[in-house]
Amino acid sequence: NVDAVRTATVMTGGYGAEYAHAGAGIISLDTQSGDDHWRFGTTNFIPGVSFQQGTHFGNWYPRLTFSGPIKKGRAWFAEAATLQHTFHLVKELPAGQNTHSQWLGDNLLRVQVNLTPRNILQGSFLLNRSSDPRQGLGPFSPLSTTTAYGAHRYFVSVRDQLWIGQTLIDVGVAADTGSAENNAQRRSPYIVTPSTTSGNYFQSTSQTSRRLQFVGNITTESLSWLGAHTLSVGWNADALDFSQQASRTQIDFLRADGTLSERSTFTGPAAFRLSNTQAGGYVQDMWRPVKPIVISAGVRADWNRLIHKYLVEPQIALNWMPLEDGRMKFTVSWGEHYQPLNLSTIGMGFDQQRTDVFFDSTGQVPLGPPVVSSFIAPLAGLSQPRFRSTAAEWDAKLHKSTFVGASFLLRESRDGLAWEPLPDGIFALKDNRRDRYVAGEIWVRHSFGENALLQVDYTRSRASSTEVLDPTLANLILAPQQPGPLLWDAPHHFVASGWTPIPIWGLLLSGFLEYRTGFPFSIINQQQQLVGSPNLVRFPDYFSLNLGVEKRFRFHGHQWAVRLSEINLTGRDNPNSVVNNVDAPNFLSFAGGQGRAFTARLRLVTQH
């Protein structure tokens, strides 16, 4: 529940050695724990309405918060719940078969007890549930090919903070468990043509996961030696478990004239279970040699049971505030970070094998023997994947209400895991992949008084890999690994947002504008083979402008708000689906995406 979040911190570089498994970055959420006052809040409890091809039950995100004392001055609780209904319309499909609604819900209960003024005990329980009975509905994926998706996840944690003298000891234990089911609508054959799909999806899966985590940190008081030092040491241990069961039917690939081109079947055990143990520790020094400079240096060591190798990760960062008033800051950092293993990816080495039979132009006579493909995961001898990150950032406050900044980030992976094709239809897990992401970003934020704000951000980036292909049982591309841009590569990304009151009936005007380069994709042919280089072609550039007006008023002692919004005001086509089969008559036809839409919402926010 966003109303329960007190602070949200995102770090893409320069974070300390205390964070385990931080290959890509850190998101840190600090939530409410309650106090000596009873507090109750509700937001968005009245559903929205969507006017797209008629009137529909639109997006609805009601939130509830409730907190107060268990025993004043000593123990408190905070309860926060959210319900989310998201409406999707696929305008290319027939009416009655072109909508689906996704339901999600979460509940967070947090309790804090001050056992003594120097010993704080905290506990939390987080539940997440989601449901989508028509997952996968799209312009080229009609209703029959969708799956019924349902998932739940539980997170339980206990944390104890104890001060002994001027030293802080922080220990905690957590359990994260979840399950997900994704079931095909029926058991009819799944049919793939160069332009679209039909029948029922070929695969139903059931997955469960569990992670038990133990963490501990010790932080000293400030020590004096050539400046001020704060030392930290810590450790972590994790036990992970993942299992999957699958049921698969055949896939028929048809040519544009309707003849059978290829048939895929699956054989072998369709269930597996994997487990792993991870452990690590760190030591870090926060050193302030002189007042405007802070240097953080640390080192981590991580190990996991599957690969049986230690990874030593040095990290260093420097913060410099050249002005006494703190209006300007420079940060530079470099570090090496462990990338945790994905058990679901490794699990493909213990899943079924796929057999593909190719047919002549009549669709009756096989062309040669079947092609049998299987995945193997020889973990012995693999290296531990890791990232090396170099970052630099400049922040400044200009005048009273203007903030500007610029940053540079280079993140390079080493010993990345990828499936590489070998002779006889075998895909083996190797550690030869290298990824590279480089980005430069500039931003400015200006406040026009207390009720108006404008912020602009531009990022120039490039994301690439030496082994960009990601073969799976469901999407098997018979081609050697090749370099290319990653699927999320968007060299140009511009975002602007803001709000301001306007002198018409006391209305509040808000806007959000986004532009980015279109994402890349690959071209295949009739035999599901790669044509040209991977991710050679791109979707059209994305552009969207949303504008909204809101009128606030008081009624029965509460503040209400009526909001009218125009989504994608310019009506620009921002497709998210494409026909990428070179043998299709409508090759490179784009479809899908959010068209122009009008929404209305009545909102109540009340606090007691």
Side-chain angles (χ1 to χ4, degrees):
N1 186 329
V2 67
D3 294 334
V5 177
R6 292 187 297 192
T7 60
T9 304
V10 179
M11 293 177 282
T12 56
Y15 39 88
E18 70 268 29
Y19 297 107
H21 323 312
I26 297 294
I27 298 178
S28 176
L29 302 178
D30 181 23
T31 59
Q32 295 175 354
S33 56
D35 54 26
D36 283 339
H37 300 280
W38 292 100
R39 304 182 188 276
F40 175 77
T42 59
T43 305
N44 296 341
F45 70 93
I46 298 177
V49 180
S50 177
F51 303 97
Q52 302 181 74
Q53 295 187 9
T55 303
H56 304 275
F57 176 28
N59 297 342
W60 184 37
Y61 308 128
R63 304 191 296 270
L64 170 70
T65 58
F66 179 51
S67 64
I70 300 174
K71 184 177 182 179
K72 287 190 175 182
R74 186 164 184 175
W76 308 270
F77 79 95
E79 165 77 13
T82 305
L83 183 66
Q84 300 181 41
H85 171 267
T86 304
F87 170 76
H88 300 274
L89 182 140
V90 182
K91 57 183 181 294
E92 292 84 0
L93 296 178
Q97 302 179 34
N98 63 347
T99 64
H100 72 110
S101 295
Q102 183 183 46
W103 286 92
L104 301 98
D106 64 80
N107 188 88
L108 172 65
L109 174 63
R110 181 174 174 183
V111 177
Q112 177 175 319
V113 180
N114 290 3
L115 300 176
T116 70
R118 301 175 66 82
N119 189 0
I120 300 174
L121 183 66
Q122 301 177 55
S124 63
F125 173 72
L126 175 63
L127 164 67
N128 285 260
R129 297 188 67 90
S130 61
S131 174
D132 188 347
R134 297 180 174 183
Q135 188 179 62
L137 189 71
F140 308 112
S141 303
L143 179 59
S144 65
T145 65
T146 63
T147 57
Y149 176 81
H152 68 266
R153 187 172 179 179
Y154 305 95
F155 180 82
V156 183
S157 67
V158 178
R159 178 184 184 187
D160 191 15
Q161 294 175 297
L162 174 64
W163 285 93
I164 300 178
Q166 297 300 314
T167 299
L168 174 62
I169 301 176
D170 184 354
V171 295
V173 58
D176 183 0
T177 63
S179 67
E181 291 195 1
N182 205 7
N183 296 313
Q185 302 293 352
R186 289 183 298 275
R187 301 284 294 179
S188 299
Y190 185 56
I191 299 173
V192 179
T193 71
S195 301
T196 187
T197 58
S198 61
N200 301 134
Y201 194 62
F202 75 98
Q203 176 177 264
S204 295
T205 59
S206 176
Q207 298 176 334
T208 60
S209 61
R210 182 183 71 245
R211 177 170 64 97
L212 301 179
Q213 182 179 19
F214 302 88
V215 297
N217 301 279
I218 300 176
T219 305
T220 69
E221 62 179 324
S222 181
L223 307 175
S224 295
W225 181 72
L226 299 178
H229 295 260
T230 301
L231 299 177
S232 301
V233 296
W235 64 92
N236 67 279
D238 309 296
L240 302 98
D241 185 270
F242 177 83
S243 62
Q244 175 178 294
Q245 292 185 334
S247 174
R248 299 182 178 98
T249 58
Q250 71 183 36
I251 308 174
D252 285 345
F253 296 89
L254 306 185
R255 300 183 180 87
D257 61 5
T259 58
L260 182 63
S261 170
E262 175 187 353
R263 173 166 290 164
S264 301
T265 56
F266 304 87
T267 57
F272 65 86
R273 180 178 179 180
L274 288 174
S275 63
N276 193 15
T277 303
Q278 300 173 154
Y282 76 93
V283 59
Q284 182 167 285
D285 180 20
M286 191 76 68
W287 176 35
R288 186 187 292 270
V290 292
K291 184 178 180 180
I293 295 178
V294 177
I295 299 174
S296 174
V299 61
R300 280 197 63 86
D302 284 296
W303 170 90
N304 76 80
R305 180 169 50 83
L306 289 180
I307 290 186
H308 288 287
K309 292 183 180 178
Y310 282 97
L311 180 67
V312 178
E313 308 144 80
Q315 298 162 28
I316 188 169
L318 180 145
N319 288 291
W320 174 41
M321 293 187 178
L323 304 179
E324 292 187 0
D325 58 6
R327 291 187 298 110
M328 185 177 297
K329 182 179 73 171
F330 292 92
T331 302
V332 293
S333 65
W334 179 88
E336 193 167 52
H337 304 277
Y338 165 92
Q339 182 183 2
L341 302 179
N342 189 323
L343 294 185
S344 63
T345 298
I346 297 174
M348 289 201 301
F350 304 89
D351 206 341
Q352 292 183 295
Q353 65 181 17
R354 170 170 163 168
T355 301
D356 289 275
V357 179
F358 297 90
F359 294 86
D360 67 359
S361 59
T362 67
Q364 302 293 325
V365 181
L367 295 174
V371 177
V372 180
S373 302
S374 59
F375 292 78
I376 60 172
L379 299 177
L382 293 179
S383 298
Q384 179 63 58
R386 64 267 183 91
F387 278 94
R388 291 174 180 169
S389 295
T390 303
E393 185 173 318
W394 167 71
D395 293 277
K397 179 180 179 181
L398 306 180
H399 307 295
K400 181 180 179 181
S401 304
T402 303
F403 298 83
V404 297
S407 69
F408 169 82
L409 176 64
L410 172 62
R411 182 181 291 115
E412 297 178 295
S413 75
R414 293 291 183 270
D415 302 321
L417 301 182
W419 297 101
E420 298 183 8
L422 302 178
D424 300 325
I426 295 176
F427 290 82
L429 192 63
K430 300 288 186 177
D431 58 6
N432 299 316
R433 177 169 171 159
R434 305 289 184 268
D435 290 356
R436 189 173 192 268
Y437 175 73
V438 58
E441 183 179 7
I442 56 174
W443 62 88
V444 60
R445 185 175 77 252
H446 182 76
S447 299
F448 301 87
E450 296 182 356
N451 299 318
L453 175 72
L454 176 64
Q455 50 190 11
V456 176
D457 181 290
Y458 170 72
T459 302
R460 180 74 168 89
S461 66
R462 178 69 68 182
S464 60
S465 175
T466 60
E467 298 187 349
V468 73
L469 297 179
D470 187 22
T472 65
L473 282 175
N475 186 22
L476 191 60
I477 297 178
L478 302 177
Q481 283 286 1
Q482 300 177 43
L486 293 166
L487 289 174
W488 47 275
D489 176 60
H492 300 279
H493 190 196
F494 177 85
V495 175
S497 63
W499 58 87
T500 181
I502 57 178
I504 303 175
W505 301 327
L507 297 176
L508 179 69
L509 175 68
S510 62
F512 179 84
L513 182 148
E514 180 179 14
Y515 165 83
R516 61 164 171 78
T517 309
F519 292 135
F521 62 93
S522 298
I523 301 299
I524 61 174
N525 63 15
Q526 189 91 17
Q527 287 74 38
Q528 310 301 305
Q529 296 172 329
L530 185 67
V531 177
S533 302
N535 295 336
L536 180 64
V537 189
R538 290 183 179 270
F539 280 87
D541 290 353
Y542 179 94
F543 177 85
S544 180
L545 173 62
N546 302 341
L547 288 180
V549 291
E550 185 173 275
K551 173 63 178 178
R552 299 185 178 183
F553 60 94
R554 297 194 66 83
F555 181 72
H556 283 289
H558 302 292
Q559 188 177 61
W560 297 73
V562 176
R563 181 176 180 82
L564 304 177
S565 300
E566 187 79 12
I567 310 300
N568 191 13
L569 180 66
T570 64
R572 179 182 174 89
D573 289 331
N574 292 312
N576 56 16
S577 300
V578 63
V579 177
N580 66 333
N581 192 316
V582 71
D583 295 316
N586 57 343
F587 173 56
L588 290 186
S589 294
F590 295 94
Q594 174 65 62
R596 184 188 291 114
F598 176 77
T599 64
R601 186 180 68 180
L602 176 64
R603 182 165 62 98
L604 167 67
V605 179
T606 180
Q607 296 284 342
H608 296 293

